Amino acid sequence: MSRVLIIAEHDGENLSPATAKTLTGALGLGVSDIDIAVFAADPSGVAEQAAKLEGVTRVLSIDHDDFEHFLAARLAPEIKALAADYSHILMPSTTYGKDVLPRAAALIGVNQVSDIQEVIDERTFKRPIYASNAIVTVKVDEGQPVVATIRTASFAAAGEGGSAEIESRDAQAEDPGHTRWIGVEGGEGEGPDLSTAPIVVSGGRAMGSSEGFDIIYSLAKKLGAAVGASRAAVDAGYVPNELQVGQTGKIIAPDLYFAIGISGAIQHLTGIKDAGTIVAINKDPEAPIFEVADLGLVGDLFELVPELESKL
Amino acid sequence: MKILVTLKRVVDYNVRVRVKSDGSGVETDGVKMSINPFDEIALEEALRIKERGEAEEVIVASIGGDEVQQQLRTGLAMGADRAIQVSADGDVQPLTAARTFLKLVEKEEPGIVFLGKQAIDDDANQTGQMLAALWDRPQATFASKVELADGKATVAREVDSGLETIEVDLPAVLTSDLRLNEPRFVKLPEIMKAKRKPLETLSLEDLGVERAGGIEAVSYEPPPQRGGGKVVESVDELVSELKSKGLL
């Protein structure tokens, strides 16, 4: 029998949109039984949000002080303990899902399908490889659970309107005691979240300095957009690493993407291939970004970007 | 303390790969192959730890046919002390790789196993986490800073929300992110010296590794191409195009 378990991502108070997107991926399996597990120190608020998502059968609420921070070594055995009842175990392909789920997969004794971008049937999926320069269709053997992460940029968030029952469960495993959470920096950025924003304005190496990036922030503010960056801009210290878009940063699919002063390396393009409309502003007409841009503008970005902002 | 670093031979990151016209795979004949860039960063970090006197030996290991010896020799030229090739044919999925590295861990008893966070061919991002699970030891993935003291590693991790710091007891599995360091270039005399460094060859069978499959690649296809774009002449034209698409 097919039953799906999704491990929720949240910050202790709010369910992450990545979970609602993972649910949409799960709904594509055509399986009617979809549960969401919420591991938290105080899961009640998040569990209620999960129960409202359309298509959820049951929410498993598992509370323990250890779950205040998502440590893979603590959570993986919990996921394994739940796994016996399910044919599919899913997490979003965020840094959280990428950290935790392979550890659980190994305990279960199976390989994981990473970054599903399309569901063909219950056991057949498409996923990107080689920095999205190829798409492979993979089939998971019958008789083993499907343990998979869902590429959130490929799925819209599931709607609300559900009223799933919430079931309390006890934690099954013990803290192995070898991993301690110290703290987190960053995430205090203004404006919408990069992973989910409908409009993203990204800057690259050509911004020249962190001050040069001000015109990006300013344009983004005018548009109500999130700010992103290429690896070059992050490595140069113009912006913090969590703004990086690309193969090793965030993979996003906004309706509108501005690539400003970004040449368009393969690794960056991986992160934006699913964007609705790509606008490139660059002084080099030969830059590879123009091969994928829907609208291109060649010229000095320090003149063009402020002009663009003034005309919005 | 020993540090074990795993190196995967992959298509060089600058190569734009092509899917074979019959959809049976990706064209790799005659394509430049290199050490997976994240693995190179992992090795660089291990070498720096050794140079600070916090480790005695750095061992590089790779799974695959004899061609992986090229990448192992490069690792030795960068400064690793010795190399282990685990010979294996065909597709080695992450769980098989993790089981293999666990056998090397049992044999070598390293204080740290350092892997890249993902290989740029399969983009799986699984092996390090799986090894940590099988070994029942801590993991610190996506590391961008590593400090060692008193049998513990303090690791800054690149996560979606910023930079998270965790502390793990050693032995542990660490996986490198891009910003951990800038790998060194190999110099010619080092390449000559590397030829004399020990390279041991084992096989999956010697190690008693049970292969884990379960996921079969059915077919490959190129990604959908984006429609031809248009170069506009002015900001005004750009704004009116965006308005006509209903985006502004």
Side-chain angles (χ1 to χ4, degrees), chain A residues 9 71-73 94-96 98-100 102-103 105-107 109-115 124 126-141 144 177-187 199 223 231 234-235 241-242 244 247-248 250 255-256 258 266-267 269 272-279 281 288 290-298 304 307-308 311-312, chain B residues 11 13-19 26 28 38 41 93-96 99 117-127 129-134 136-142 152 154 157-169 177-179 182 212-224 226-236 238-239 241-243 245 247-248:
Chain A
E9 173 168 334
L71 294 172
T94 54
T95 48
Y96 163 57
K98 286 174 180 172
D99 184 45
V100 172
R103 188 164 182 128
L107 296 180
V110 299
N111 278 296
Q112 171 184 286
V113 184
S114 297
D115 273 335
T124 315
K126 290 191 181 188
R127 59 175 302 263
I129 53 174
Y130 290 94
S132 295
N133 283 299
I135 311 294
V136 62
T137 301
V138 296
K139 193 166 168 42
V140 180
D141 287 355
Q144 76 169 51
H178 53 44
T179 306
R180 289 165 293 277
W181 190 84
I182 306 286
V184 67
E185 291 170 45
I199 306 179
L223 286 162
R231 180 189 167 193
V234 175
D235 281 353
N241 67 284
E242 64 264 26
Q244 186 179 328
Q247 183 183 19
T248 65
K250 291 193 172 76
D255 300 328
L256 178 56
F258 287 87
I266 301 171
Q267 292 78 12
L269 300 182
I272 56 166
K273 279 209 161 119
D274 293 331
T277 295
I278 297 175
V279 175
I281 302 178
F290 288 114
E291 289 168 32
V292 300
D294 301 281
L295 291 166
L297 183 56
V298 179
L304 295 172
E307 185 189 346
L308 173 61
K311 287 179 172 163
L312 292 172
Chain B
V11 171
Y13 76 99
N14 282 311
V15 174
R16 195 178 284 216
V17 300
R18 293 187 199 292
V19 174
V26 166
T28 53
F38 292 101
I41 293 168
Q93 293 183 12
L95 185 54
T96 305
R99 286 175 178 172
K117 77 163 176 179
Q118 73 194 65
I120 60 163
D121 52 0
D122 64 14
D123 281 332
N125 197 331
Q126 299 178 29
T127 307
Q129 295 88 317
M130 289 182 153
L131 171 62
L134 301 178
D136 198 15
R137 292 303 306 166
Q139 69 190 47
T141 52
F142 325 139
K152 294 190 282 279
T154 304
R157 306 178 55 235
E158 296 204 9
V159 296
D160 289 330
S161 55
L163 214 51
E164 179 183 77
T165 303
I166 62 171
E167 181 187 84
V168 296
D169 294 339
D177 214 319
L178 272 180
R179 272 171 286 277
E182 192 74 44
I215 298 176
E216 186 203 344
V218 180
S219 63
Y220 297 78
E221 62 194 285
R226 296 186 69 94
K230 174 178 171 181
V231 173
V232 295
E233 297 301 324
S234 66
V235 168
D236 290 319
L238 176 61
V239 171
E241 285 281 347
L242 290 173
K243 280 188 175 148
K245 284 169 171 264
L247 289 163
L248 289 181

Side-chain angles (χ1 to χ4, degrees), chain A residues 35-45 47-48 51 58-64 67 78 82 86 164-172:
Chain A
D35 294 355
I36 295 185
V38 177
F39 291 95
D42 176 13
S44 55
E48 275 170 34
R58 200 177 298 103
V59 173
L60 309 181
S61 166
I62 307 123
D63 68 306
H64 196 290
F67 302 152
E78 298 288 342
L82 293 174
Y86 295 91
E165 56 176 300
I166 300 174
E167 206 176 291
S168 284
R169 295 279 183 95
D170 292 327
Q172 300 290 309

Side-chain angles (χ1 to χ4, degrees), chain B residues 64-160:
Chain B
D66 286 349
E67 64 279 3
V68 305
Q69 291 183 8
Q70 289 171 22
Q71 279 65 43
L72 289 171
R73 289 288 172 201
T74 304
L76 293 170
M78 279 178 71
D81 298 288
R82 60 190 168 94
I84 303 173
Q85 175 201 356
V86 179
S87 58
D89 300 326
D91 184 30
V92 176
Q93 293 183 12
L95 185 54
T96 305
R99 286 175 178 172
T100 305
F101 296 139
L102 180 66
K103 296 289 182 184
L104 298 184
V105 162
E106 288 165 355
K107 188 168 172 284
E108 300 287 349
E109 300 182 344
I112 294 172
V113 183
F114 228 130
L115 301 88
K117 77 163 176 179
Q118 73 194 65
I120 60 163
D121 52 0
D122 64 14
D123 281 332
N125 197 331
Q126 299 178 29
T127 307
Q129 295 88 317
M130 289 182 153
L131 171 62
L134 301 178
W135 191 14
D136 198 15
R137 292 303 306 166
Q139 69 190 47
T141 52
F142 325 139
S144 68
K145 192 175 180 198
V146 175
E147 284 172 330
L148 303 179
D150 308 325
K152 294 190 282 279
T154 304
V155 180
R157 306 178 55 235
E158 296 204 9
V159 296
D160 289 330

